[in-house]
Structures are given as structure tokens and as C-alpha cells.
Amino acid sequence: MFCSKKKSLEVERIVKANDREYNEKFLYKDNRIHTSKYNILTFLPINLFEQFQRVANAYFLFLLILQLIPEISSLTWFTTIVPLVLVVTMTAVKDATDDYFRHKSDNQVNNRQSEVLIDSKLQNEKWMNVKVGDIIKLENNQFVAADLLLLSSSEPHGLCYIETAELDGETNLKVRHALSVTSELGADISRLAKFDGIVVCEAPNNKLDKFTGVLSWKGSKHSLNNEKIILRGCVLRNTSWCFGMVIFAGPDTKLMQNSGKTKFKRTSIDRLMNTLVLWIFGFLICLGTILAIGNSIWENQVGDQLRTFLFWNEGEKNSVFSGFLTFWSYIIILNTVVPISLYVSVEVIRLGHSYFINWDRKMYYSRKATPAEARTTTLNEELGQIEYVFSDKTGTLTQNIMTFKKCSINGRIYGEVRDDLGQKTDMTKKKETVGFSVSPQADRTFQFFDHHLMESIELGDPKVHEFLRLLALCHTVMSEENSAGQLIYQVQSPDEGALVTAAKNLGFIFKSRTPETITIEELGTLVTYQLLAFLDFNNFRKRMSVIVRNPEGQIKLYSKGADTILFERLHPSNEDLLTLTSDHLSEFAGEGLRTLAIAYRDLDDKYFREWHKMLEDANTTPDERDERIAGLYEEIERDLMLLGATAVEDKLQDGVIETVMSLSLANIKIWVLTGDKQETAINIGYACNMLTDDMNDVFIIAGNTAAEVREELRKAKENLFGQNRSFSNGHVVFEKKQSLELDSVVEETVTGDYALIINGHSLTVYDQWFITLFNIVYTSLPVLAMGIFDQDVSDQNSMDYPQLYRPGQLNLLFNKHEFFICMAHGIYTSLALFFIPYGAFYNMVGEDGRHTADYQSFAVTMATSLVIVVSVQIALDTSYWTVINHVFIWGSIATYFSILFTMHSNGIFGIFPNQFPFVGNARHSLTQKCIWLVILLTTVASVMPVVAFRFLKVHLFPTLSDQIRQWQKAQNKARPLRSRKPQTRRSSSRRSGYAFAHQEGYGELITSGKNMRAKNPPPPSGLEKTLYNSTSWLENLCKKTTDTVSSFSQDKTVKL
């Protein structure tokens, strides 16, 4: 009631600092989080309610109720309740285990310690006890406990750095800064304890990039935005300490608001299984209806004549009512056609596969000691059905480590290496690198091979100097010196870091900045520029500019940005240079380099003063502020003079080319999301082998509306019409998962189709205990062992032949067609299991001369045949044998005989005479040679058609996996030594270009001076590089493919 009242009233939040009593009247939530679903009291009712929402569980519960009605109960209640309880219990244990870990995680987070200002002193307090309005102290590398209003920090102007990887996945540091009125509080505990500001802000929401509010303190109001807020889940970095006031706590924090409720995801197999179960329900109802109608006819024509013998009174049971009761009786008898155990088997196998993923050493990232982690156990098989992969480019395909490689200055390219004849050559380690004697702060890891650039610098080329001066001035980089006196740059973007570092190595060293000045060292001379304006970058402008006044009093605008944007703002006199620079940019982009255009403008002092006055007026105007500022930026960023362009390399991640090749061969379509221009997008495709020279056509879809895109796609399809692409057949690990479902369905079908019609009443062939134990004891473990451990081909061959992945995408291994084949197989097996023993028992006499055709001997013979047939079938389906497979398969048969002889023993009869009346039947039946001959004949008749079909299929219509299995067997026997011939892979020259980050810049923050860092030693950092031998992998792939094709060419052409 309180929650609903609070939600309806909280259109805004009012928080008073250091006043818990004031804030408690608003009933704000504390900082305790709950991600768990249950507790001790609610687990049983809620979990049972969730489980019985499943159709199969609800059906068996309904079946159990029917079995409690004596008139229609053809089986005792324990035949249903035992498997149902087992299924529900196993699922409940799994759910309880998952929730236990959620509780454990919640407790770990809730019990973290934080320093809270209480009663004018800092006290250690658990996170869960933090309240709205409390003031918290954070220290470097500490997680933020709640959504805080930043009050002060160890840095000048209340600046702090945070890492938001837990929120948005970005590892670049973000800057937050406090209001000037609160940053003065510093670390003075007495002043912080007296702080009684009131914050009126937005209600809790999930918008990570937006916050609006007002702080009222000492009679003044101060507006608040997202730059003043530190969100829960962030980590404080490069800041010794900071103080913050809790605005949102616990479930109200933006992190938790984005969590929401976990959506239940169903896989394609789940959906298909549910459909098949509904079909089985329909089949069961139809079968029950037909048998009920037959019972009514029999009762009407024959049953009436037996009333005297059965001691029925007249009118006690008519034919229609008898058919009605018989319908429910058959529903009970044939309940095993509904595969309830299949759900449990699938869940257990998914759990096992999840552990395999977690334990896989080949998916262990040693550089960060990070193993693979399966965060869900419900979607594993979807890994074998992926058709599309969507990938970002920067930081995913590439390393996001930028290196300055080339530049174009005044129409001349610097960075190319040429031989003695002036021909362009590749850069190699043998080529002598440039010595940066002009810069004492040069980075020794920076390599540049073109000596002409240094020559131009030393000769005093004004365009080259202006170019490098722009790189040293136009950026948002922060500098500091470490204990050794070395300059350390803190960058928001690795692109800017690469450009500023290049300028530093070439003699134009960015030294420091204040809110009003930028100091650089130009070839050994310190020069301070007055920073007049900062025109920040955003994803609409795609450029940034600074306006500075040099020591000579000249005002200059320096700008860098996307070439398509800057070229539109150039002075007409740049036409020739523009053409030449555009060619250079195309060349850079073709080599996979990220490009930026560089330009400047000389400004008249009077014009600038007028423009700056309009900018100040626009900043103070509440209406259409952003639009007016953008218009002023456009006005001054025109008539630019082109200087040139930069080219920065962002190297591909290790193994990207090989990975993309494997995915492509597996028929997985790859989409790379990038902000690059069209040429660059095509070139990155060639760099990653997503596009190859073998592709005849590359279609560019450039529509801006859905209709335009649809029309362009239609035209592309028309151009491609008639082209055929052949793919090989194959399997993946997913194959055995799908085969498992089919095998389980077969078993359920086999055990569910046996009933005798005796005088119009039903009687099961199998013993009731056998029906109860069949799925949960006799056949469950072999199915699980095959589903968890089986491999159709080795893991190495799975990697060498990516075409094996295709059947999973097309659902060739588990679909409705395969289901009906399995149904037919089950029906045939059930007929063989029944009629072969029935015919043999018809006039059979035992070795002792006695008649053996009694009901229980017939049941024992059929049950034994069934267990053996199912075990042999599982053995035939198993491709990869382990000790566990042997123990489970043959152990299940041994378990069956142990239980069988126990149930027919004198001892169990003495304890439960009513439940186990057939004393000695199993021993008597199974000592007869003729019984074992019947069992052998039944087993052979049931299994041989399957063996013959598979033999013919493998030899006449083999799939790729069949061929690879044969090759594996031949290799295991022979293991010949094969020579490895090195192969040269042709690499395309077309590669990626530059892409802008879609994030607002920090120009406003720089000009405010609030991001001026104190001189603290930088945190240790480093990136270890490892080498990846990709050539051997490609050689292996090509070699294996060649060997496979040649070895199978005599029988069947393999299409790769």
C-alpha cells in the first residue's frame, strides 16, 4: 500500500542533506538491493506455482487427481507421483541453487563497507544501511554505493574521474565535477556535517545520461545536471577521495532501475518441444476417444450379457457412461507418451554444458586471467543455431590502441617509405626509424620511418609547423608529470592521445593547460597561448575547434574533424589542395587508417569580439540555447584554410581474420556496426576477410527511410537472382543435443503404447513399478551421458571444418519431420516388442514342461527386451565413449535386473505382500532358454532396421560429419606423418578508415577550468602483447580441407 502511494505521488524527489528524520517521511527506499526471487517462506508456493504453469507438469498433476478416483484409475497413484515429484524436486533444487547464489551476491554487495558521515564523524557503515540524504566518502578505486550528488573531491574545482564500465561497457574515464559552492567544502568534516542543502530533482528513472535538479543552499539555487552526479556501479579512478550526497538509493538507483525483471527466454528447441507436446496431447486424446467409443460399442453389444456374471445391477452402468470412464482410464494408462522426463533431461544437459563452457581452457583469457562464463543455463543450444553476428568495430574487431602512421601536409604525404629508386615499399623492421632529437620528451615506443618529415621540421616549413601546432593545441587531453618528470597524458579518446603524442615526438609538446591558457613547447621554446573559446565536438558536428591568441596577438581558429564536414567549410582558394588531400585521404582509408582533416582560420580581432559577445548572450538565454550556440559555431567555422590530414592506425585484434573466416565458412552472416564513411566500411570488410576478391558484387545500401532501403534491397536481390551458393552438409556439437531429444521421444513413445483390452477393460502389459522406474532409473542416466559427453567429431575437426555448423542453423537434426520419423520408429519398435513375445508365448511350453504363457512372465519378457533395446539404441547413437557412458549404459541394465529380482523375491513379498505378489516369477522366467531366445529375437528385430538404414545412409548419402568420422577412424589407425607446406595468403590492400566516437566532448569542462588536474603520480598501467600464430591455423584449415576432399573424391564429391 505504501509502495503504490509513493509511486503515485513521487513526481519529484526532495532530499535534505544530513537529515534522516526529514527524509524518512517520504518513505524512500534504503540502499539494500534484492535480485533474488524467493526467500525461505515464499520459495515453495512461488516455485510450485511457476512449475505448474508448464503444460506437462500441470497435465501430470491433473493425471494424479484422476488416479485418485477408483472408478477410472487403471494405475496406482505412485506411477505418476514418483516421476512428477522427481521432476518438480530436481527443478526446484536447480531454482533454489540459482537463487542461493543470487542471495549470496546480494549479501556480498549489501555488506560492503562505506564511510558515512553520521553525528559529525565518519563511520564505517554497510551499504544496506545507507540512507537517502547521507553524505558518503569515496576513495580511489572504490565502487560507488548509491547515486550521489558530487560535493567535493581531492582535485581542484571538485573534479573527479569515474569508470562506467559496469553501466555502459566503456572503459574510457569520464569526468564529473562538483558545484563551485560545494567544492569549497573540501574534506572539512565539520563543514560537511553542517551542510544542509535541499535537492529537488526528478523522480527515480532509468536514464543514465540525464539528470535534472536544483540544489537550494544558503538562500541560493544552483542547477544540477548529469555532470554533477556519480551513479551506483561506477568506480572512482585517479582521484584520492571525494564526498557525495545520496540522492537515490537501492532499487531507486539508475543501475537498478535499468535491471528490471529478468525476462524468461525460450529457445527454438523449447518452442518446438512445446508444440510437439501439444501434438502428443492431441494424439493421446484422439487415441483415448477411439478406445472409449470401442468400449461403448463393446458394452452395448457384449457387456450386457456379462452383467449376471459380474454381479452388476441393472442400470448401474450403461454403455455411454462406461465409455466416458474408459476414456479417462486410457488417458491414465497412456500417460507416458507425454515426455515429462525430457524436460528434466534437457535442463540437466544444459547445466552440464554450462560447466563445460566455464571449464574450457581454450576459452580462457590468460592476459586477464578471465575464464568464459555461462551466465544462463537456458540458451546453450542456441550457440549451435546462430545465423547473424552483430559486432562493433572499434575495440571489438580492432584493439582501440591508436598509432600515428601517416599525414598529408600541404599536399605532401609523410610516413611513406620509398626505396632508392623512389618506389613505395612496405615498412619493415630493417628500415631505420626516425630519431626524435628535437623532443627530449619523445616516446621511445613511437616509430616513424619517413625522415622527410623531420627534415621539413628542421628546415622550418611553416605549414608543417602550423600542422603540428594544431595537433598540440586542438584537443581535450590533460597532462601531468610523474615522479620521474615524464609527461603523462590523460585522454578521453585514444585518437586524440595518438595525435598529441605524435606532435610531442615531433617537437611540439603539449605541456599544460589552465582554464584560460594552453602551454606547449615548440622545438624547445615554451609558448603560452590564450584560450579564447572551445568549440566542442559532438556527433552532429563531427569536428572540434579551439580559438587561441598567440604571443604575437594573432587570433587563430584551429579545427579538426571528418573530411566530409570540414571540406564543406573550406575557403574557395583551397580547391587544388582539396583535390590532392582528398586523394591522400582515400589512399589512407584504403590502407585501413583512421583519418581526420586539419584546417585553420585567421580571425580579425573586432570580428571575434562581436562573435564572442553573441556567444555569451546565447549561453545565458534559456530558450533555444543549444540551437543558437550551434548556429554561432557554424558561422565562425567557415572559410577555413586546409592544412592537411592525419592517418592513425587501429590494429585488428589478434585472430580477427581467422575468426571471421571460420564464421563465414559456417554460413554465419556478420554485420559490423561502424560510423565510418562508405569507402572505409568496405575496406574494413576486406581487412577482416568479410569481403573477398572472389565476391563479384558489393552492394551499397544508402537509403535513409525504410521504403528506400527496401527498394534498394529488392534491386540487389534482382541483380543476384540466379546465382547459386552451395554449402556442405555437417554437424556441430548441437547435433547431439538435438539427437537427444529425438531419442528421448522414442523412449517415451515406446513405453507408452502398450495396453491390453480384456473384456472391454484396460490392463497394462508392464508392471506398475516398471512404468514408474523406467524413465527415472532405467534409461535416464544413459541419455544424460550421451547428451553431455558425446561428440560426433573431435573438437579440432569442428574448428577445422566450420561447414559442420550449418545443420544446426537449418534445424536439420531436430524438426517436425524428424519427430514423425522417430514416432514411426517408436511405433515399429512397440509392435515388435509386443507381437514377437506374444506370438512366441502363444503355445510355448517351458523346459520343465509347464506352460509359461502367463501374464507376469509375458510382462517380464517384454520389459527385459525393452530395457535391452533402449540401451543398445543409446549405444549405437553414442559416437564418443567415456567411462561414464559405459557405467551408465551397462550399469542401467544391471540396475534393472537387480530391481527386478528384488521385487520378485521372498523378502520384499514378506514386507509388502499386496504390492509385490509375484514371488519368484523373474527367476523362473529368466532361467528359461526359450525366454532369452525371445528376448534376443525381439532385440535384433527392433535394432536391425535402424542399423541397416544407417549403414546405407552413411555409405550412399554421407554427410560431411559422416565423412570426417570415417577419416578420424582411419587417422587413429594409421596416423601418418604429413608434411606441412607453408602457404602464402594474399592480403587485400583495401582496409578501414576513420570512425568518430558518438560522445559529447569536454570542451565546456576544459574552459571552466574544473578539470585541471593536481600533480599526482599516475596509476601504473601496461598492456602486454601476445603473438598469435594465425598462419598455422590457416594452413591447417586448408590442408585438412584438401585432404578431406581428396580422400573422399572416389566415393562422393564434397562441396565446400
Side-chain angles (χ1 to χ4, degrees), residues 34 49 78 102 110 120 228 291 294 368 442 466 469 493 541 554 591 609 704 717 799 816 850 884 920 1020 1032 1046 1050:
H34 300 277
F49 175 76
F78 63 78
R102 294 191 196 101
N110 289 330
S120 300
K228 311 294 190 298
L291 294 174
K368 291 189 176 181
E466 192 76 344
R469 186 177 296 116
S493 165
R541 287 168 39 77
Q554 297 174 325
E591 296 174 7
R609 286 199 303 268
N704 295 319
K717 288 182 178 179
M799 295 297 296
K816 296 173 183 177
R850 298 179 181 179
I884 297 177
S1032 60
S1046 61
Q1050 298 177 357

Side-chain angles (χ1 to χ4, degrees), residues 291 294-296 298-299 317 322 326 330 756-762:
L291 294 174
N295 174 266
S296 297
W298 184 90
E299 285 286 351
K317 187 177 182 182
S322 174
T326 302
Y330 279 116
L756 295 175
I757 310 301
I758 301 178
N759 294 336
H761 297 278
S762 59

Side-chain angles (χ1 to χ4, degrees), residues 269-437:
I269 284 185
D270 285 332
R271 292 189 291 270
L272 179 57
M273 283 170 51
N274 288 337
T275 301
L276 297 180
V277 167
L278 291 176
W279 287 3
I280 293 173
F281 282 154
F283 171 76
L284 179 61
I285 293 173
C286 292
L287 193 60
T289 302
I290 294 172
L291 294 174
I293 293 173
N295 174 266
S296 297
I297 295 174
W298 184 90
E299 285 286 351
N300 185 51
Q301 297 179 359
V302 182
D304 289 342
Q305 304 174 13
L306 301 177
R307 291 182 183 276
T308 304
F309 302 100
L310 298 176
F311 302 100
W312 287 354
N313 297 325
E314 287 294 331
E316 181 178 342
K317 187 177 182 182
N318 58 43
S319 59
V320 176
F321 186 65
S322 174
F324 174 76
L325 295 180
T326 302
F327 171 81
W328 295 110
S329 180
Y330 279 116
I331 293 296
I332 294 173
I333 289 177
L334 302 175
N335 72 82
T336 51
V337 299
V338 180
I340 185 174
S341 64
L342 177 60
Y343 288 97
V344 181
S345 300
V346 170
E347 290 295 330
V348 173
I349 291 170
R350 285 171 174 166
L351 182 63
H353 287 171
S354 299
Y355 281 108
F356 282 168
I357 292 174
N358 296 343
W359 297 337
D360 196 326
R361 293 182 178 179
K362 293 184 179 180
M363 290 194 288
Y364 178 78
Y365 188 50
S366 58
R367 287 162 66 176
K368 291 189 176 181
T370 303
E373 181 181 1
R375 297 182 182 273
T376 178
T377 60
T378 59
L379 303 174
N380 295 346
E381 66 269 20
E382 292 287 289
L383 295 175
Q385 297 177 287
I386 294 172
E387 296 185 62
Y388 297 93
V389 170
F390 292 85
S391 171
D392 186 21
K393 189 192 69 153
T394 304
T396 304
L397 295 182
T398 61
Q399 298 179 13
N400 201 24
I401 301 174
M402 310 301 174
T403 306
F404 182 85
K405 286 295 183 182
K406 295 183 179 182
C407 60
S408 171
I409 305 177
N410 198 30
R412 179 179 180 181
I413 293 180
Y414 294 96
E416 291 182 343
V417 179
R418 299 183 180 274
D419 57 21
D420 297 335
L421 298 178
Q423 298 296 320
K424 181 180 175 181
T425 60
D426 293 333
M427 287 177 287
T428 63
K429 293 183 179 179
K430 296 181 179 179
K431 184 68 178 179
E432 182 182 355
T433 60
V434 174
F436 302 106
S437 58

Side-chain angles (χ1 to χ4, degrees), residues 845-852 924 928:
V845 177
E847 297 176 6
D848 54 2
R850 298 179 181 179
H851 192 66
T852 59
H924 175 266
Q928 304 286 332

Side-chain angles (χ1 to χ4, degrees), residues 673-859:
L673 312 179
T674 176
D676 291 337
K677 56 185 180 180
Q678 178 176 309
E679 297 85 354
T680 303
I682 295 176
N683 290 326
I684 193 64
Y686 283 102
C688 298
N689 275 2
M690 292 173 55
L691 303 176
T692 65
D693 294 331
D694 296 334
M695 296 180 179
N696 297 325
D697 297 295
V698 176
F699 297 97
I700 307 300
I701 308 300
N704 295 319
T705 65
E708 292 176 357
V709 172
R710 191 178 296 110
E711 178 63 20
E712 292 181 24
L713 288 174
R714 185 188 62 80
K715 292 179 179 179
K717 288 182 178 179
E718 289 179 355
N719 291 332
L720 291 173
F721 184 78
Q723 297 182 10
N724 296 321
R725 298 181 181 180
S726 60
F727 299 93
S728 65
N729 295 322
H731 288 234
V732 288
V733 178
F734 175 63
E735 171 190 5
K736 287 304 175 183
K737 181 67 180 287
Q738 294 179 315
S739 301
L740 163 70
E741 275 95 23
L742 298 178
D743 294 333
S744 300
V745 169
V746 171
E747 293 178 10
E748 298 285 358
T749 305
V750 168
T751 60
D753 286 347
Y754 309 121
L756 295 175
I757 310 301
I758 301 178
N759 294 336
H761 297 278
S762 59
L763 178 65
T764 59
V765 172
Y766 297 123
D767 177 78
Q768 296 183 3
W769 282 105
F770 179 82
I771 296 175
T772 303
L773 299 175
F774 180 80
N775 280 325
I776 62 178
V777 176
Y778 300 150
T779 60
S780 59
L781 293 181
V783 172
L784 295 178
M786 187 189 76
I788 293 176
F789 299 106
D790 202 28
Q791 302 175 14
D792 56 340
V793 298
S794 67
D795 57 343
Q796 185 58 48
N797 283 329
S798 295
M799 295 297 296
D800 290 347
Y801 300 94
Q803 299 91 341
L804 294 169
Y805 193 83
R806 186 168 172 77
Q809 293 175 322
L810 302 178
N811 290 323
L812 299 179
L813 306 170
F814 183 44
N815 50 48
K816 296 173 183 177
H817 177 263
E818 294 294 327
F819 170 76
F820 283 113
I821 292 177
C822 286
M823 286 289 293
H825 178 204
I827 292 173
Y828 164 78
T829 306
S830 65
L831 294 175
L833 287 169
F834 179 80
F835 284 105
I836 292 177
Y838 181 79
F841 272 69
Y842 191 72
N843 285 317
M844 187 171 66
V845 177
E847 297 176 6
D848 54 2
R850 298 179 181 179
H851 192 66
T852 59
D854 59 275
Y855 161 69
Q856 192 61 23
S857 297
F858 181 68

